Amino acid sequence: MSPPGLRLARALTAAGQVIQPRWHRALLDVDRAAFIPDTVWITAADDPGFFRPVGRDDPDRARWVHEDYALATQVDDGHPAGGPNGEEGWGRLRTSGISQPSLVVDMLQWLDARPGHRVLEIGTGTGYNTALLCHALGEGAVVSVEVDKGLAETAIGNLTRAGYTPTVLDDDGMTLSALADGPEGNTGEGGFDRLLATVAARGAVPHAWVRQVRPGGVVVTPFEVGNTPGVLLRLEVAEGRVANGRVVGDAAFMVLRAQRSDRRRARDLVDEDASTVREGTTEVNPRVVAYRNQGWQLVLGHLVPELRYVVYEAAEDRPEWAGEASVHVATPDGSWVLGEYTPAGEPYEAKRDGSRDLWAEVGAAWEVWQRTGRPGRDRLGVTVDGEGTHLWVDTPDKRLR
């Protein structure tokens, strides 16, 4: 009889995704289909702002289950908000999922967990990733934390039917308070060799995670700032409850519930008719906010948190406006700026409202990026300590401020 994960394991191996035997064996032996619920959600083709439900009778389901696809397994925290025309069961926000297998394997291989290690997983989800950890390390080595009680109960059921009984805690992955009084007694802090987050930290990696890992241990987590897609961090924990590490790949994940950002877009936050609007000029090139260098976007997102923007290009049928654009930049605290870009250069016409001069903040971030040699993603790293999360260039002593 073929292993249940044979099709998936073959596909990932052929693509060069799997190089460590322990995870290859886990992929073969753990049936991913057993961890996918009866209903999943996919992006609606005609309404991309919504997710429509798909049941087991969908002809594409087998392909999604056994090939390299991520699937949403919960929307709107378990209470689907409905579709654009009131369709029941549709959702607006993906709030749990089963990750793309190639990304799952990539994260597990960066984690480099080995027999004898204790692993703390943040975000049990359906339990599939937990099952892979149990297969490779033994269920007694795995503790998983899930903020959603319903998801935790479902994951426990899935794991039990698959033959695994790790410790699954229903708790907030930000505080990890359940670990202080867990089923086996007080675990204390620093008791784990590895921590793997299957949910993204936005803006700041919780220091509570670092405190759970012994010196010499490793934290692997998705991380996002600003407008950039998520990246993957691998942090090594040192004495003094400090972790340092680098960006090692891409990792677009849902964000910790406690760190979800305001979902309003820049265009929703700008009110040009407000009586408090101030007009003037700026020497900051408005187009820099949209410059698609990932290093720059990480620096901008870190130094100007929660920034969002939209660029309105000039109409194609008006050649006299060629190259011009209106750039709106805003933050949820009520501050916004508008810059009118023209190929003629500075000064650029500008408007602003709110307590912050966002063009000045963007310009200052641009100067930092320029001064440090315009670092790309490969030169950037992160430190997490008791004071927060810090971005640096080349070495941890070169923090960006």
Side-chain angles (χ1 to χ4, degrees):
M1 183 176 178
S2 298
L6 178 61
R7 179 175 167 183
L8 180 59
R10 277 180 172 171
L12 296 183
T13 304
Q17 297 286 346
V18 188
I19 59 173
Q20 293 183 359
R22 70 176 61 88
W23 304 118
H24 193 174
R25 188 72 251 174
L27 280 172
L28 284 168
D29 292 346
V30 177
D31 184 6
R32 186 174 187 247
F35 292 86
I36 297 179
D38 291 339
T39 300
V40 296
W41 285 262
I42 64 171
T43 302
D46 297 331
D47 295 286
F50 295 86
F51 293 90
R52 67 175 180 86
V54 171
R56 288 191 176 276
D57 58 348
D58 190 287
D60 283 326
R61 185 184 175 92
R63 177 168 58 91
W64 297 334
V65 168
H66 297 293
E67 295 182 11
D68 196 24
Y69 290 90
L71 294 169
T73 57
Q74 186 196 68
V75 291
D76 303 322
D77 294 330
H79 305 283
N85 300 306
E87 296 92 339
E88 292 186 4
W90 287 46
R92 294 297 306 271
L93 179 66
R94 185 172 58 175
T95 53
S96 189
I98 187 165
S99 301
Q100 188 175 6
S102 57
L103 181 52
V104 168
V105 171
D106 194 36
M107 293 173 67
L108 289 170
Q109 292 182 149
W110 277 114
L111 190 70
D112 195 28
R114 305 171 186 179
H117 284 164
R118 294 186 69 227
V119 177
L120 175 61
E121 178 189 43
I122 307 297
T124 316
T126 67
Y128 175 64
N129 197 80
T130 318
L132 295 175
L133 288 167
C134 289
H135 186 283
L137 307 173
E139 58 193 31
V142 180
V143 175
S144 187
V145 179
E146 174 55 59
V147 66
D148 188 302
K149 183 177 178 61
L151 291 178
E153 292 174 349
T154 298
I156 291 170
N158 292 340
L159 287 161
T160 300
R161 286 187 291 274
Y164 303 109
T165 56
T167 301
V168 177
L169 301 174
D170 167 23
D171 188 48
D172 183 343
M174 285 289 293
T175 65
L176 305 181
S177 59
L179 290 182
D181 194 20
E184 302 301 324
N186 194 326
T187 64
E189 292 186 333
F192 293 92
D193 301 281
R194 299 286 189 271
L195 184 147
L196 176 66
T198 62
V199 61
R202 179 169 175 80
V205 176
H207 190 234
W209 294 1
V210 174
R211 297 198 306 267
Q212 294 294 333
V213 179
R214 65 168 178 79
V218 171
V219 174
V220 172
T221 181
F223 178 68
E224 69 173 49
V225 292
N227 295 274
T228 58
V231 296
L232 187 65
L233 298 181
R234 185 182 190 274
L235 308 173
E236 295 184 3
V237 179
E239 297 288 349
R241 297 175 175 175
V242 175
N244 297 296
R246 291 185 175 274
V247 177
V248 294
D250 298 311
F253 271 77
M254 287 162 282
V255 174
L256 281 164
R257 294 189 182 187
Q259 292 183 338
R260 286 178 187 166
S261 61
D262 187 312
R263 296 185 66 204
R264 289 177 295 170
R265 299 165 297 179
R267 61 174 61 94
D268 302 321
L269 296 167
V270 173
D271 181 7
E272 293 187 61
D273 297 324
S275 61
T276 51
V277 172
R278 286 155 283 179
E279 297 192 15
T281 61
T282 179
E283 295 183 357
V284 176
N285 181 344
R287 285 196 182 274
V288 300
V289 296
Y291 182 43
R292 300 316 301 170
N293 179 290
Q294 194 172 31
W296 157 241
Q297 287 295 324
L298 287 168
V299 170
L300 176 63
H302 178 70
L303 294 179
V304 192
E306 294 304 316
L307 188 77
R308 56 210 63 189
Y309 62 82
V310 62
V311 180
Y312 296 101
E313 299 289 350
E316 292 183 1
D317 59 353
R318 299 294 297 269
E320 68 272 22
W321 294 347
E324 296 185 8
S326 294
V327 182
H328 294 198
V329 177
T331 51
D333 61 8
S335 296
W336 60 264
V337 292
L338 183 154
E340 299 291 353
Y341 173 86
T342 71
E346 61 185 56
Y348 304 97
E349 293 183 14
K351 295 180 181 179
R352 57 173 288 208
D353 197 8
S355 61
R356 297 166 60 184
D357 184 349
L358 294 177
W359 282 135
E361 293 185 36
V362 170
W366 181 258
E367 288 300 318
V368 168
W369 189 62
Q370 296 283 334
R371 188 171 63 248
T372 52
R374 300 166 63 96
R377 190 181 76 175
D378 60 320
R379 292 179 57 198
L380 296 176
V382 169
T383 292
V384 182
D385 58 23
E387 297 179 354
T389 297
H390 316 277
L391 194 67
W392 44 263
V393 176
D394 298 329
T395 58
D397 61 313
K398 297 178 182 178
R399 294 184 181 180
L400 299 177
R401 297 182 175 88

